[in-house]
């Protein structure tokens, strides 16, 4: 569990390098800043409020909302065993805390290169500190999604983590509008990422961390289950790469590394909901479909002019939904009752996240504004918001 | 064991960054693509066929070749204990699967900057899916190298993994010929790597992963043996760095970071065959000699005009042989019978790998061709095979 | 413990990438070289002499100095249990060995971009091989700091590791003098780091490794204590980021990523002395103050013209002292006797390190010299000491 915690921690570096690699050099400091400060603030917020919203425990106040007070201390008359056995209170907190900031980090990618820093941090604090743990409680804190007749199943968070981030990413990217010059009257203009080795490092670190994300979600050190989850996680990521390779080759007639990288993530998000319930063949199929979906989703979002610089919506929302649904279609839980339970969970979580993230982003847009001005966007956020450059020693092409 | 699996996984990122860092910017996407898709395909191939070739278990058909059917499922009437105790079937698979793609990744470095993508992936699939597990079975699957009177000893794969890759690297580099402009009538022209920090990251990640590679090969969690293996692995890598530092300084009168990096890898490859049988002083000596060998091997291969952009043949083949032989010369097993057993193993595996890799590469060369055309090589593989650049925002020197 | 060892190992990559990222491209190879060769030589030196100076065990010769002979082998009649239980002799060695080189790596950052390679390596060998283990013995090897009436407390090395490096960093930076062009008659000129993504990678890897540094220092696998240490470590780093964000924003009116990165490290160094004795709120407070201190310390050292390219003195010395003192102010040990014990430890270790590092650096300065000549400093150390460039394919701005 503690090793798993560390692996999830390093995913934040994966997100940082992936997002920075897939965007332009002139916005790199801004992206690094966001992806450093969000996990840091997420940890503090989750300790102060989030954990007690997500796992209200003895002070459990209902099936939709509960809260056990501010700050982090083992509540009186209540111990780890109230909700799970085999690890300590602090282990539970730190593992969950490492997850928490992920939701905001996913959004970060979709709104990159044009969002104002202050409003984004404000959004992240509320979304990570309040919205994410409320949704999490519905399933993992013993809430109503877990106590339905056929409980909604989401092993490690295709919906509870990835879709939660994905919905807000969709809302944010939509309300911001596309980057300048992305969709022109003469068609869509690709804006290539400035550092593909860094993006590749990001995806490998994410895959590495995913073994902790999924493996740790077994919540015991039972080697049988953990090792099976490792295999399904590895196979789904690999199959996602293969699916994206094949479909992007047929679509674009080229070997697109960014599609393969997103295909890996797509496979991983897709297996996350059912990593412990799938056989090896099923994991491969789920990953393969996820890797294919992501290629077409990227094309689709560009068609409807939702500009997502890193493909976060395609990876985390589309494949988060797919993976959640797949629990009803394949593996140990497959069957109509489970399909319905999965659809219920997807819809309820989706509605809540869509509405709350809309409320936050829309309020910010109408008050302090969420988008940098045109001059700043053209020159880059690094010079304007941070007074520094990511690579001051190198000559740029422009 | 499962932690070790993850460490071996991250070695693939190490190989990707090392190879990309030691080659030119114009071929970086190609290298990232290869090093992403090979582990992914390797995982799938190994699940589908390789694992059952390497560990045929109850369906064991002989001492040279065995096969227990396609796909991954615990065969009836057969469990992990048939070949080893202390870990699950899935743990065994995933640990071995992470190893498997290494053989092809080693080749990738030696053939970089001029091989066609399609043929290389085709080669990798066959070599990782069939050739590697057949050799692996000879020793680790209970085959004839393991049942000789004095069994061939190769703790974690100086021969079974590194030389297997190294022989194919030699064949591939030879059949491809050198990169344009490398060997001119007026002498050898160094083609420097474009990103030495990335190469350094690669070597540290490989060293990090090597602790899993060697530590996990203990195949138990016995802390006494695992901790000793950690120490020999650390010391051999450090001594390899020192050996390469000293010999490259005397040879080139400069502090060459790439030699030190390859010296670390040389030390690690050298200790891999006997990491559990050596004392600390012996590990230092073996690493030191490995680090020295690699400097002279790099010079030698350049002299005979075998162009190996990253020094993979020197590191993995030369030091793989040295490390395997060292098991007969030093440590708990030292003695003439072991020397002979080691030489037998080296020769038989070498012959098999040389012949099979020659057959595959030569057939590909005579049919679809294995080398990109001159224009593509000059402009870079990234633009021509992938329609993208690794660093589109930066001005290049050319 | 063994996992912790690996995490500490990867900190060396963190130091390498952080230092390289925060300095100029023309000195990158030099920095990579130092940060590769120092851990390698540190491992060898520590095996040959350091470990037996730090943990003299049965051959314990006094409370200030002890030595149990050269080389690494379990001394007769003496086993791990003489100084601690729960892990093997080799585990103990390798965990401590991974720490050892840290002291020199800290110095490396402060003297970067102008120190000669040879003298620096010479300094590192003596400091890591002799000075560090002597100080370490005073506390961790059972020496006089541990046997005072109220023992000096330093859980994982705010003083014993970080200040030991920090004092030598201060001495080295002072004796070398500032980089050319840093302090001009018209004021201080910022010399920005050439690769901020790499610096960010470095800090995340250091944070990642710190969990091993602090977690492993529990020296048992007791999940209660280890998990609490994980939480205090995570929270202090996050609070350090927040402290640096706020204070640097008020000071410079910009969102400075380098300050946030150093703030994280400041928080981590600050919690290191008392990671197991603090509650969550106390950890947050200690980290927050550390993150604030680092911003003002960086400004202060620039004011007195001590040029520290990466802020190593501010992070490791200032926060090392602060964190050590904090053990007397907060948490389970708080109280006047502990404050006095902490002050004693800080002063005695400081005096010893200041004097010994002065002696070594000053002797080197007066004999072979420690600073490269002006031409070499202007052109970069890479071309002059290593005959290579870190990024030969890219055009620079100069």
């Amino acid at each position: 569990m503690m090793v798993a915690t560390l692996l999830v921690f390093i995913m934040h570096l994966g997100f940082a390098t992936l997002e920075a690699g897939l965007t332009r050099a002139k916005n790199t400091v801004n992206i690094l800043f966001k992806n450093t400060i969000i996990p840091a603030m997420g940890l503090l917020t989750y300790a102060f409020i989030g954990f007690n919203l997500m796992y209200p425990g003895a002070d459990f106040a209902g099936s939709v909302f509960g809260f056990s007070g501010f700050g982090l201390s083992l509540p009186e008359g209540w111990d780890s065993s109230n909700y799970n056995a085999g690890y300590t209170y602090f282990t539970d907190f730190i593992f969950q805390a490492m997850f928490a900031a992920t939701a905001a980090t996913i959004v970060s990618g979709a709104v990159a290169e044009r969002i104002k820093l202050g409003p984004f941090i404000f959004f992240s604090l509320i979304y990570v500190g309040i919205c994410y743990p409320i949704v999490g409680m519905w399933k993992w804190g013993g809430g109503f999604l877990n106590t339905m007749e056929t409980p909604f199943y989401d092993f490690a968070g295709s919906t509870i983590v990835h879709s939660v981030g994905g919905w807000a990413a969709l809302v944010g990217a939509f309300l911001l509008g596309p980057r300048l010059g992305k969709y022109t009257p003469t068609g869509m203009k690709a804006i290539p990422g400035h550092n593909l080795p860094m993006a590749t490092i990001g995806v490998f670190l994410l895959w590495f961390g995913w073994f902790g994300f999924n493996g740790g979600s077994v919540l015991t050190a039972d080697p049988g289950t953990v090792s099976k989850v490792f295999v399904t996680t590895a196979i789904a990521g690999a199959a996602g790469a293969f699916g994206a390779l094949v479909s992007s080759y047929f679509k674009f007639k080229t070997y697109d590394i960014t599609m393969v990288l997103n295909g890996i993530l797509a496979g991983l998000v897709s297996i996350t909901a059912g990593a412990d319930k799938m056989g090896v063949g099923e994991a491969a199929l789920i990953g393969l479909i996820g890797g294919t979906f992501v290629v077409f989703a990227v094309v689709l979002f560009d068609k409807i002019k939702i500009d997502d610089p890193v493909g976060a919506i395609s990876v985390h929302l589309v494949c988060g939904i797919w993976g959640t649904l797949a629990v009803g279609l394949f593996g140990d839980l497959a069957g109509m009752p489970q399909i319905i339970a999965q659809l219920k969970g997807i819809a309820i979580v989706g509605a809540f996240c869509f509405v709350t993230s809309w409320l936050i982003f829309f309020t910010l847009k109408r008050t302090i504004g969420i988008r940098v001005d045109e001059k700043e966007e053209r020159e880059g956020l690094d010079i304007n918001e941070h007074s520094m450059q990511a690579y001051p020693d190198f000559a740029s092409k422009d």
Side-chain angles (χ1 to χ4, degrees), chain A residues 178-193:
Chain A
R179 288 169 292 174
L180 294 173
K182 171 79 179 178
Y183 306 112
T184 66
T186 58
M188 197 269 287
K189 196 185 135 249
I191 301 179

Side-chain angles (χ1 to χ4, degrees), chain A residues 275-294:
Chain A
D276 62 334
K277 302 293 183 193
M278 300 297 160
V280 177
E282 291 159 333
L285 188 64
I286 290 170
L288 189 78
I289 295 173
T292 308
F293 274 1
V294 87

Side-chain angles (χ1 to χ4, degrees), chain A residues 97-123:
Chain A
M98 293 298 180
F99 266 62
T102 307
T105 319
I106 291 166
V107 182
S108 175
V111 299
E113 305 204 271
R114 60 206 193 280
I115 201 165
K116 276 189 194 169
L117 185 63
F120 179 70
I121 290 179
F122 183 82
F123 165 82

Side-chain angles (χ1 to χ4, degrees), chain A residues 102 106 157-166 210 213 269 272 316-317 320:
Chain A
T102 307
I106 291 166
S158 287
T159 286
I160 299 299
V161 177
H162 294 280
S163 295
V164 166
W210 227 287
F213 201 82
V269 172
T272 294
H316 298 280
L317 179 57

Side-chain angles (χ1 to χ4, degrees), chain A residues 60-91:
Chain A
F60 190 66
S63 63
V64 178
F65 184 83
F67 186 53
S68 51
F70 293 101
L72 202 65
S73 62
L74 203 57
E76 231 180 308
W78 181 78
D79 63 46
S80 300
S81 61
N82 288 32
Y83 55 95
N84 249 313
Y87 46 86
T88 73
Y89 174 76
F90 283 116
T91 302

